[in-house]
Amino acid sequence: MRYLYLLLCLCCLTTGAEAERHLYVGRQQPAGGSDTVFATVNEALRQAELMSGDSVWTTIHIAPGVYWMDDPDDPEVRRPLPGDNTPYGMRVRMSRVRLIGMGNGPADVVLACNRGQTQGAEGNFTMLHITGDDIVAENITFGNYCNVDLDYAPNPALSRRRRADAIVQAQLVICHGDRYVARHCRFISRLNLCPFAGARHALFDDCYFECTDDALCGTGVYRHCRFTFFSNKPFYCTSPQGALFEDCDIHTKVRGIQYLTKVSDPVTMRRCRWTSDDPTLVIEWSKKPDPKKRCVMEDCTLNGAPLFVPMPPDVPMAVSTPLLPLMNQPRLVPGRWTLDAHKPKDTAAYDWTVNDIVPAWCYGEGMDGAEGCLGMIQHVRGARMMYTSKSDERYDGQTLTVQLAPCKPAGQGFGSATGQYLDLCVKFDTQTLTGYGLRFVRTPHYDKAVEVMLIEYRGGEVTPMAPAERCELFRRGCRVTLRACQGVLSAQIENGQQQQRLTAPIQHPNAFGGILIQHTGSVGASATVIQNINCTYE
């Protein structure tokens, strides 16, 4: 029924009464015409917004070219408006508007931006936000070229290299409304693509998509579309009625296992053709499919062979170890552990506050990359764990060994490069926040690695002891041995057969024996399971 409803929507939006208003972008007004001509798409959208409000349709005709919806050369960082989490290139309120590309194909008319989280923006930069109903786009490319090169074949002078190599959240169109249709369009980005995300009903006909994770519109019907998947969870989730793929071609760059959704939700695929360069590729609905969220696959193939992905039987699902909240223990007591949450000074530029109402730590099983790993897990941002050494004892040397299992499986460790890090410290005084440690931190430079550095705490202020290094070992199985002895701080990071070692001289020796574990990253799928802690003194 939903499929038929959207087909009716498509017919109404594309074959109904002729639009009475016409706007033109990027070309001269037709001879003898009285319609309005604009130099930019932004100006035309503003005019359509002013005209919106009655039953008359507005059609915006866009001549071939690259139209930057946000100035790519402006060095100013884009930030969200007060009370919002997302910075937008443009917000518009309009209904009954068609955007029509006048080129020979969708690659001729490009609506572009090139910003993403930490790369020209603070937050998940999104090119366009639309509030309204009945929006149609035809023969257009929507592209966020933050992490993808813009190659404009009709005029190579308009091509532009991507802003950065590290893949971050760089989005296209978020909307609030109903009946959105895209025909003969291309949607190009990588992480969090967001093609008309938020629409109550969205129909994509003969469109092309390039994306990684958490990308596609979960309410979408995709007919005769083509996809290139660069990672294995193109949906975070879908709507209760599910997403539908009909007669589509999907090429996946994934090796091993290709999932459809991160959270188990319904998806239907009919007469779809999958291709892969990995002859052993396996396709699954979700890592933990829920039989109550029905998924259907009919007449599909993988590299030409019949493909069928069954749902598990409708029996009680295996239950993971539940998270056990641990009561906060904020007092500093010699010989005891302190459990609380703290916002360090070097995160002041990032807009988050400590939630001290709920427990800062839980004990249980991690998720995603840490599935099956048990230990201490952050329950709030800024979760902190400290051991206060006995005040009447002096400590010459100290070695801390910690077994870690980040939930992020690709090695980036944290949700985003927004002051998110994990500090492991020894020779630490919990009263003055003074000591030495190792920091894992996500930066904009890498999307499958973190940076690691030896650090010194003095009164809560943190300074690097040596230049930061790239680290690809911050994944499940990561073992850290941090040793401070005889004026030298060293860290041995191991994961399987791989090792990385850092050393630096200690400039301000002390006799402290405390421990600090500080996590400033987001929680849930971005948390880290602390599986084991062992400390010895010399």
Side-chain angles (χ1 to χ4, degrees):
M1 290 297 295
R2 174 170 171 261
Y3 182 39
L4 293 175
Y5 167 74
L6 280 168
L7 283 177
L8 289 173
C9 289
L10 176 63
C11 293
C12 292
L13 294 178
T14 57
T15 63
E18 289 297 319
E20 296 184 13
R21 292 184 288 248
H22 295 269
L23 309 178
Y24 293 85
V25 178
R27 74 173 191 186
Q28 294 297 317
Q29 180 173 315
S34 59
D35 302 299
T36 307
V37 179
F38 299 90
T40 69
V41 173
N42 300 59
E43 293 172 318
L45 289 173
R46 281 287 173 246
Q47 183 63 30
E49 182 179 46
L50 293 174
M51 293 175 169
S52 186
D54 53 29
S55 60
V56 178
W57 279 78
T58 299
T59 298
I60 302 175
H61 306 268
I62 309 173
V66 175
Y67 299 90
W68 289 96
M69 306 296 291
D70 173 89
D71 184 355
D73 296 313
D74 185 351
E76 183 177 348
V77 174
R78 302 294 188 257
R79 292 181 171 83
L81 294 174
D84 203 347
N85 295 319
T86 303
Y88 294 98
M90 184 177 186
R91 289 172 176 266
V92 63
R93 289 179 172 271
M94 61 186 191
S95 295
R96 293 169 293 281
V97 174
R98 297 187 181 95
L99 296 166
I100 309 296
M102 304 305 291
N104 294 323
D108 288 353
V109 177
V110 180
L111 308 191
C113 64
N114 72 342
R115 297 177 188 269
Q117 171 70 273
T118 72
Q119 296 174 7
E122 181 183 297
N124 299 352
F125 184 83
T126 305
M127 178 166 65
L128 186 61
H129 185 282
I130 303 175
T131 299
D133 301 327
D134 301 321
I135 304 296
V136 178
E138 295 185 21
N139 214 35
I140 294 173
T141 291
F142 296 83
N144 191 324
Y145 298 97
C146 184
N147 307 131
V148 186
D149 290 342
L150 168 56
D151 296 317
Y152 187 67
N155 183 358
L158 299 180
S159 298
R160 190 181 185 98
R161 180 169 169 75
R162 59 188 175 271
R163 182 180 286 263
D165 293 331
I167 296 173
V168 299
Q169 297 92 334
Q171 304 174 168
L172 293 177
V173 185
I174 293 177
C175 47
H176 181 73
D178 201 2
R179 299 181 300 277
Y180 282 66
V181 175
R183 301 180 69 246
H184 309 304
C185 288
R186 299 163 73 233
F187 298 90
I188 308 296
S189 186
R190 288 296 181 262
L191 186 57
N192 294 22
L193 181 72
C194 292
F196 295 157
R200 287 193 292 277
H201 297 89
L203 177 61
F204 301 93
D205 185 49
D206 191 22
C207 293
Y208 173 70
F209 304 79
E210 285 186 11
C211 62
T212 62
D213 283 354
D214 305 342
L216 297 179
C217 174
T219 59
V221 169
Y222 302 86
R223 299 176 63 245
H224 317 305
C225 292
R226 294 175 297 116
F227 302 82
T228 301
F229 292 158
F230 288 86
S231 63
N232 67 358
K233 299 181 186 74
F235 288 103
Y236 178 82
C237 62
T238 65
S239 63
Q241 65 265 33
L244 170 65
F245 294 78
E246 180 84 25
D247 190 27
C248 293
D249 291 280
I250 305 169
H251 181 71
T252 173
K253 301 287 188 179
V254 172
R255 305 192 72 83
I257 302 178
Q258 169 74 61
Y259 299 105
L260 267 295
T261 64
K262 183 174 289 186
V263 176
S264 184
D265 265 336
V267 178
T268 298
M269 307 196 84
R270 297 188 181 122
R271 297 183 298 281
C272 293
R273 297 160 293 278
W274 287 79
T275 56
S276 168
D277 297 329
D278 180 4
T280 64
L281 181 80
V282 175
I283 297 176
E284 299 287 351
W285 295 114
S286 180
K287 196 166 188 178
K288 291 186 176 181
D290 182 349
K292 294 181 175 59
K293 305 293 181 65
R294 182 169 172 77
C295 295
V296 177
M297 184 171 286
E298 299 175 351
D299 300 326
C300 295
T301 60
L302 172 58
N303 289 338
L307 172 66
F308 176 67
V309 181
M311 286 294 293
D314 192 2
V315 297
M317 299 180 65
V319 178
S320 301
T321 303
L323 294 179
L324 174 65
L326 302 175
M327 184 179 298
N328 287 346
Q329 313 241 1
R331 294 178 57 229
L332 299 178
V333 180
R336 299 285 185 87
W337 283 92
T338 295
L339 302 180
D340 67 359
H342 171 69
K343 183 175 174 65
K345 295 179 181 178
D346 58 9
T347 65
Y350 301 98
D351 185 19
W352 60 273
T353 57
V354 167
N355 181 352
D356 54 8
I357 299 175
V358 301
W361 295 88
C362 290
Y363 180 85
E365 180 185 355
M367 63 177 65
D368 295 339
E371 183 180 356
C373 298
L374 299 176
M376 302 282 283
I377 305 173
Q378 306 81 36
H379 190 49
V380 300
R381 191 164 184 183
R384 180 174 66 171
M385 184 188 314
M386 296 189 294
Y387 175 76
T388 302
S389 57
K390 296 180 181 179
S391 57
D392 58 346
E393 295 184 5
R394 296 179 60 83
Y395 303 88
D396 294 326
Q398 183 179 5
T399 301
L400 177 68
T401 303
V402 184
Q403 187 77 25
L404 302 169
C407 292
K408 287 287 188 180
Q412 70 273 56
F414 307 90
S416 61
T418 54
Q420 300 196 28
Y421 59 75
L422 171 64
D423 285 351
L424 308 174
C425 297
V426 294
K427 302 290 288 177
F428 200 81
D429 177 37
T430 58
Q431 292 279 359
T432 63
L433 301 183
T434 297
Y436 293 90
L438 177 74
R439 172 171 292 186
F440 294 99
V441 57
R442 184 167 182 179
T443 72
H445 306 302
Y446 313 112
D447 60 325
K448 295 184 179 178
V450 295
E451 288 190 352
V452 63
M453 69 187 83
L454 295 173
I455 56 174
E456 179 182 11
Y457 268 80
R458 288 180 66 82
E461 301 281 355
V462 177
T463 56
M465 299 173 64
E469 300 181 15
R470 177 188 174 104
C471 178
E472 298 179 352
L473 308 182
F474 193 56
R475 295 174 279 106
R476 179 192 185 116
C478 181
R479 179 184 175 89
V480 177
T481 302
L482 184 65
R483 183 171 184 257
C485 187
Q486 298 181 348
V488 175
L489 180 68
S490 65
Q492 181 84 7
I493 308 169
E494 303 170 82
N495 201 316
Q497 299 299 312
Q498 297 178 290
Q499 296 183 354
Q500 186 171 353
R501 184 173 176 82
L502 298 85
T503 61
I506 292 176
Q507 299 294 335
H508 306 96
N510 65 56
F512 307 138
I515 298 170
L516 167 70
I517 298 177
Q518 170 80 67
H519 195 288
T520 66
S522 45
V523 298
S526 300
T528 299
V529 181
I530 301 173
Q531 296 179 269
N532 184 272
I533 301 173
N534 183 65
C535 182
T536 59
Y537 296 95
E538 302 174 29

